Amino acid sequence: MGGKAGEPLPAAFRQLEKAGCHIRRGQLTLIAAGPGVGKSALVTTIATRAEVPTLYFSADSDAFTQYVRLAAMLTDTPVWAVERDMDAGKSVHYDTQINNLDYLRWNFDASPTLDNLDLDVQAFGYLYGCWPQLIIVDNIKNVWTDAGDDNSKYGEIIDYLHELGRKTGAAVVALHHLTGTYDDGITPAPMSALLGKISKIPEVILTLHRSGSLDFGDLMINVSIVKNRGGKADPSGNWFIPLQADMERMRID
């Protein structure tokens, strides 16, 4: 059984919870960042720690990539070592850990339509007798519509995802990109940096940027809470919560 609309998912990051930022059932959360910053790692961490029935649309990353990331995350093993073990046929212990995530289901269609998303959510409901409590779309840019321009396309997708959360009671989390100026991954991004004019609909919008270095062990993924209907936010992006990260092991603490 799912929780009530507006109820937060189990917290993945206490720092964000203390700041009054929650991913809530029945609501749409948007997470935006430049390429390689760690938005997929962040949302996968949220999914594994929430431990609720989850449907993950991984249009941006294929099954192999997600397997390696999950294996590294769950076993605290460097990504390169996971790939080496897979090449050597020594992946049984990774299979065991990943198979334990029986609440997490994947769709790897590289360019799903809104109808595809809808059918998969319905299939999930028929198969398990409940709606997913968490729906992840990674990412908006990969979803196909016949809208004429990007702004219309993104607006149509956001409207659909917002309605999907209301209809199913699921927490919907969608990943998105930023405009070129903030695409470097190291500059705090304001709400106005989102691709397309889509900031009005989501209840929560987070933008990410990096600081520090993996080589020196001080890498941070900084989470700017630029919109938060249930708490504090700063649309400029200059107020952020730092999360320590080890991207070699796909760990965010």
Side-chain angles (χ1 to χ4, degrees):
M1 296 293 291
K4 296 180 180 179
E7 183 178 277
L9 291 183
F13 302 105
R14 294 297 180 188
Q15 301 97 312
L16 295 180
E17 184 184 41
K18 288 178 181 178
C21 181
H22 303 278
I23 294 176
R24 298 181 184 275
R25 293 173 168 89
Q27 297 186 1
L28 174 60
T29 298
L30 193 64
I31 301 175
V37 172
K39 54 185 180 292
S40 293
L42 185 80
V43 77
T44 304
T45 302
I46 290 170
T48 57
R49 292 181 180 174
E51 296 186 349
V52 298
T54 300
L55 181 55
Y56 193 130
F57 293 94
S58 182
D60 192 51
S61 302
D62 61 20
F64 174 82
T65 301
Q66 292 288 23
Y67 178 97
V68 170
R69 289 173 176 173
L70 264 179
M73 181 185 298
L74 295 173
T75 64
D76 199 28
T77 304
V79 168
W80 62 264
V82 175
E83 294 187 4
R84 179 201 60 196
D85 290 343
M86 291 177 67
D87 289 340
K90 300 177 180 178
S91 62
V92 174
H93 60 299
Y94 302 129
D95 295 341
T96 301
Q97 292 294 321
I98 291 174
N99 288 337
N100 285 337
L101 304 179
D102 56 356
Y103 50 84
L104 181 56
R105 291 292 178 264
W106 300 81
N107 177 303
F108 291 104
D109 189 339
S111 187
T113 66
L114 297 183
D115 284 343
N116 294 148
L117 301 186
D118 204 55
L119 286 170
D120 264 32
V121 172
Q122 290 185 47
F124 189 105
Y126 285 127
L127 182 60
Y128 297 107
C130 66
W131 296 121
Q133 293 182 37
L134 173 61
I135 299 171
I136 297 169
V137 178
D138 182 3
N139 60 61
I140 287 177
K141 198 169 185 179
N142 294 96
V143 177
W144 189 90
T145 76
D146 55 6
D149 58 75
D150 280 349
N151 285 354
S152 298
K153 168 186 172 177
Y154 298 146
E156 183 179 352
I157 295 168
I158 285 293
D159 286 342
Y160 166 79
L161 294 177
H162 189 248
E163 179 62 25
L164 182 65
R166 294 287 179 88
K167 181 175 71 175
T168 63
V172 180
V173 179
L175 306 190
H176 196 38
H177 291 285
L178 301 170
T179 55
T181 306
Y182 299 95
D183 215 28
D184 59 7
I186 58 174
T187 305
M191 185 163 61
S192 59
L194 296 174
L195 279 181
K197 299 176 181 180
I198 57 175
S199 61
K200 292 181 180 180
I201 301 298
E203 282 82 2
V204 174
I205 301 176
L206 310 176
T207 65
L208 313 180
H209 69 281
R210 284 188 180 189
S211 60
S213 168
L214 181 61
D215 293 336
F216 294 99
D218 62 348
L219 180 66
M220 294 288 178
I221 293 179
N222 302 303
V223 182
S224 297
I225 306 171
V226 298
K227 183 179 181 181
N228 183 15
R229 287 186 183 168
K232 181 181 177 182
D234 178 4
S236 75
N238 290 318
W239 173 61
F240 50 83
I241 309 297
L243 303 176
Q244 190 169 17
D246 178 357
M247 299 312 293
E248 188 176 46
R249 291 172 172 80
M250 303 306 293
R251 302 286 293 187
I252 304 175
D253 298 319

